[in-house]
Amino acid sequence: MNNISNILNKQQQFFKSQKTKDVDYRLSLLKALKSKILAHENDILDALYKDFKKSEFEAYLSEFGLVISELNLAIKNLKRWSKPKRIKASLLTFPSRDYVYKEPYGTVLVIAPWNYPFLLAMEPLIMAIAAGNTIVLKPSELTQNTSQIITKIIRNVFPETTAVSIEGGVETSTKLLAQKWDYIFFTGSTKVGKIVAKAAAKHLTPVTLELGGKSPCIIDDSVNLKLVARRLVWGKLLNGGQTCIAPDYVIAKSNIKKELIEALKSEIIRRYRENPKTSPDFPRIINEANTKRIEALINTENIVFGGEISTENCYISPTIIDEPSLESKIMQEEIFGPVLPILTFETEDDIENTIWGLDKPLSLYVFSNDKYFVDETIKKYSFGGGVINDLLIHFGNHRLPLGGVGASGIGQYHGKHGFDTFSNTKPIIKRSNWFDPSFRYPPYKGKMSFLKTVFKYFG
Ligand code: NAD
């Protein structure tokens, strides 16, 4: 028996022992995980810097801090979340007491990406454990320093029967996907998401697919451009533009384009200096292959700012592209880097042509002070989630679910939504025996009009 199926087998046996159904056991694991993560704070922040020069501030804000708050939330609420919930009974089931039970799926596989390598591995792990599952995690092979510290933490906190981190690339992922899991949680590209969905379909395994796509940012002419530029530069360049919910491109009202570009240029210089390469706050592209991929997207376009590339240093300076065609490569593929194309619109049709010409995005952003325009826009387009007059911050509220729609993903998580994702919801009716009306039993003769009355007026 090879290593993977051996681990899976042990976890399946352990799950059957019912130990993970014990909420106190889960709580003790989450508390141990929290204290181990806190003890390794510096190692985690160092690893993120080594992997792609992510600054300590961004690493804390967008990874470490969010993991700690997710742990705090789970530890505080786990007893309440896991209790069977009493549900109002129905006249049709009278007399009864009705409940919803949350049960763990069993043994789950989590495959994580490289772009927020600590957060996007730990957050599903926390909620999978909170919900009572056992878990095999595969962190990204592209962020080796972070993946190693993740493996070390998991090894120190969890018995192998409860949680294991298996490092490796496509080959390892493929072997893991060939096994039969009770749930698969994948974060990554739409392309690999399809491979995961296919593998899951073989065993009808339920999946969550947290994918990417081209998220638009629409800006009309009712806005304060200085404020928009400040928020846009932050939301686009955080993590070096390698954020799944980052605005991929802008569609601006044509009469503000020139002024918007000037405001963006000044804002980039204000935040990252004339030469962002020397800024301690500007991360690098994850590897040479991705640097070359982005280079190929921009080298035939009209670059109006930036465009400096150093492949061996995995560096691409913040770059603005003026009006690429909708057929261009840069408008067909998720950019995932510090490059912002600016398209323009005159009428609603122009916005529709752009957004409806692409797959449903993970996020959509609107900057406008026109309430009608905002409301119409968020109702018209289908997308995973969004923000009006800012960017990314919907990620910051654990009460809001995060997830895509169509090609940008299936399923949602975050906070309690994550606990629910890793739980099967089991409806249970506890029936009383003191009363057993004969109405539902044959013979049915003479019962029809009462049946109709019940459904029409009380059902
Ligand atoms: P990726 O799809 O290349 O890789 C993700 C994971 O899948 C990695 O662990 C990798 O080892 C594994 N993998 C890669 N190729 C595989 C294959 N052929 N078979 C099986 N497994 C394979 O994604 P990435 O480059 O790590 O991350 C970037 C992508 O993730 C972007 O598209 C981004 O939008 C998306 N993303 C989405 C979210 C979200 O929450 N929706 C969050 C972060 C990133």
Side-chain angles (χ1 to χ4, degrees):
M1 199 183 286
N2 69 35
N3 192 30
I4 289 175
S5 49
N6 191 12
I7 290 170
L8 179 60
N9 203 318
K10 279 194 214 157
Q11 290 203 352
Q12 285 165 338
Q13 292 313 317
F14 184 67
F15 183 76
K16 283 183 189 148
S17 77
Q18 304 300 307
K19 180 75 183 157
T20 68
K21 305 263 174 82
D22 176 355
V23 175
D24 288 329
Y25 175 67
R26 300 181 209 170
L27 272 173
S28 69
L29 292 174
L30 293 175
K31 285 177 187 164
L33 180 62
K34 183 179 162 187
S35 81
K36 197 53 84 188
I37 288 176
L38 287 173
H40 281 290
E41 176 179 328
N42 289 338
D43 301 331
I44 294 163
L45 300 178
D46 279 356
L48 288 162
Y49 185 79
K50 278 188 196 141
D51 280 331
F52 58 119
K53 285 200 163 43
K54 187 161 179 163
S55 71
E56 189 182 342
F57 184 87
E58 278 197 13
Y60 202 102
L61 171 78
S62 67
E63 307 220 34
F64 191 86
L66 291 174
V67 168
I68 294 299
S69 61
E70 196 79 349
L71 270 164
N72 288 341
L73 185 82
I75 291 168
K76 189 167 161 219
N77 294 291
L78 189 56
K79 287 210 159 130
R80 189 166 52 83
W81 290 349
S82 8
K83 266 201 193 119
K85 196 168 157 225
R86 183 92 185 256
I87 303 293
K88 199 167 169 234
S90 152
L91 189 67
L92 298 178
T93 60
F94 178 82
S96 69
R97 281 177 297 143
D98 298 12
Y99 297 87
V100 160
Y101 278 65
K102 291 284 180 193
E103 69 168 12
Y105 278 101
T107 297
V108 309
L109 171 66
V110 171
I111 299 179
W114 55 262
N115 64 326
Y116 287 84
F118 187 66
L119 173 72
L120 298 177
M122 282 297 163
E123 202 178 319
L125 170 93
I126 292 164
M127 287 306 163
I129 291 292
N133 300 281
T134 68
I135 160 174
V136 173
L137 166 74
K138 196 204 79 64
S140 175
E141 68 278 25
L142 301 188
T143 42
Q144 285 200 350
N145 295 289
T146 311
S147 296
Q148 277 165 15
I149 187 88
I150 288 171
T151 304
K152 184 172 163 193
I153 290 171
I154 291 178
R155 197 184 298 127
N156 286 338
V157 172
F158 299 96
E160 215 177 55
T161 45
T162 308
V164 169
S165 165
I166 299 183
E167 290 178 51
V170 179
E171 204 185 313
T172 307
S173 219
T174 307
K175 282 186 193 150
L176 288 165
L177 286 169
Q179 307 290 327
K180 186 175 178 194
W181 303 91
D182 295 303
Y183 201 93
I184 299 177
F185 187 102
F186 171 79
T187 308
S189 59
T190 301
K191 188 176 130 223
V192 179
K194 289 178 186 171
I195 296 172
V196 174
K198 209 169 158 187
K202 193 170 165 215
H203 299 291
L204 288 179
T205 303
V207 280
T208 293
L209 300 175
E210 295 284 341
L211 311 177
K214 289 189 85 62
S215 298
C217 175
I218 304 164
I219 307 172
D220 78 1
D221 55 4
S222 66
V223 296
N224 169 347
L225 279 177
K226 231 174 142 185
L227 181 64
V228 171
R230 181 152 63 166
R231 293 180 175 173
L232 190 50
V233 165
W234 175 77
K236 180 70 191 186
L237 297 183
L238 185 88
N239 216 39
Q242 303 162 107
T243 302
C244 55
I245 52 173
D248 186 272
Y249 63 96
V250 161
I251 319 178
K253 189 81 193 282
S254 49
N255 58 349
I256 61 156
K257 183 178 85 176
K258 239 176 116 192
E259 219 187 313
L260 173 68
I261 291 178
E262 288 315 309
L264 288 169
K265 288 180 185 173
S266 321
E267 186 61 26
I268 293 169
I269 293 167
R270 181 171 306 125
R271 301 293 159 202
Y272 299 100
R273 307 174 186 166
E274 289 283 348
N275 181 7
K277 210 188 237 171
T278 60
S279 162
D281 300 325
F282 188 62
R284 296 297 177 260
I285 304 299
I286 191 64
N287 60 9
E288 283 194 23
N290 269 285
T291 314
K292 283 187 190 146
R293 178 187 62 78
I294 300 168
E295 183 177 18
L297 296 182
I298 64 176
N299 61 13
T300 52
E301 298 299 335
N302 182 14
I303 298 172
V304 291
F305 184 77
E308 192 194 333
I309 297 171
S310 160
T311 314
E312 63 281 13
N313 293 312
C314 298
Y315 174 76
I316 297 183
S317 67
T319 299
I320 301 173
I321 307 282
D322 188 14
E323 303 265 6
S325 96
L326 293 181
E327 287 72 44
S328 62
K329 246 179 121 190
I330 199 165
M331 284 310 297
Q332 294 298 317
E333 192 179 294
E334 182 182 10
I335 299 168
F336 224 58
V339 177
L340 187 64
I342 314 278
L343 310 181
T344 52
F345 73 94
E346 278 297 333
T347 64
E348 285 284 328
D349 288 353
D350 300 330
I351 304 179
E352 287 175 10
N353 280 342
T354 307
I355 295 180
W356 282 341
L358 297 162
D359 281 328
K360 293 177 184 178
L362 184 58
S363 304
L364 182 144
Y365 303 103
V366 189
F367 283 91
S368 170
N369 288 313
D370 177 343
K371 193 175 169 308
Y372 178 80
F373 177 69
V374 166
D375 286 346
E376 287 302 299
T377 305
I378 55 180
K379 278 192 277 182
K380 186 187 286 181
Y381 302 106
S382 181
F383 53 96
V387 184
I388 309 305
N389 292 324
D390 208 339
L391 298 155
L392 316 187
I393 57 169
H394 55 314
F395 199 97
N397 181 355
H398 65 78
R399 293 178 194 90
L400 291 173
L402 184 96
V405 54
S408 57
I410 297 172
Q412 297 174 319
Y413 76 134
H414 256 202
K416 166 80 161 54
H417 304 284
F419 176 86
D420 291 341
T421 288
F422 286 106
S423 305
N424 177 35
T425 300
K426 216 157 61 170
I428 296 287
I429 287 188
K430 293 186 178 166
R431 192 76 151 116
S432 294
N433 293 331
W434 61 270
F435 180 53
D436 190 32
S438 64
F439 178 70
R440 71 173 178 188
Y441 303 111
Y444 300 129
K445 197 160 178 273
K447 295 178 177 174
M448 199 61 198
S449 78
F450 181 64
L451 180 72
K452 286 184 180 175
T453 307
V454 168
F455 273 98
K456 279 185 190 158
Y457 303 107
F458 305 106

